[in-house]
Amino acid sequence: MKVRNSLRSLKTRHRDCRVVRRKGRVYVINKTQRRFKARQG
């Protein structure tokens, strides 16, 4: 999992990337390619 300030570039890495809010944090998750994960802040 990567920790970044901005997730805009990470969500465009793969077409299945989704931006999700959980517990006050913003995550990028991907169901098909699970290595594309990131967290903001």
Side-chain angles (χ1 to χ4, degrees):
M1 169 153 328
K2 294 188 176 185
V3 179
R4 291 287 182 88
N5 290 330
S6 177
L7 297 179
R8 177 173 290 180
S9 63
L10 294 177
K11 77 179 180 189
T12 59
R13 286 202 298 176
H14 193 272
R15 58 184 173 83
D16 292 337
C17 284
R18 299 276 184 264
V19 177
V20 179
R21 299 198 62 164
R22 292 179 186 165
K23 297 179 182 175
R25 287 180 173 169
V26 185
Y27 292 91
V28 171
I29 59 171
N30 193 327
K31 291 283 175 67
T32 56
Q33 296 286 329
R34 294 186 180 274
R35 63 175 187 233
F36 293 123
K37 289 187 291 192
R39 173 171 68 84
Q40 180 170 328

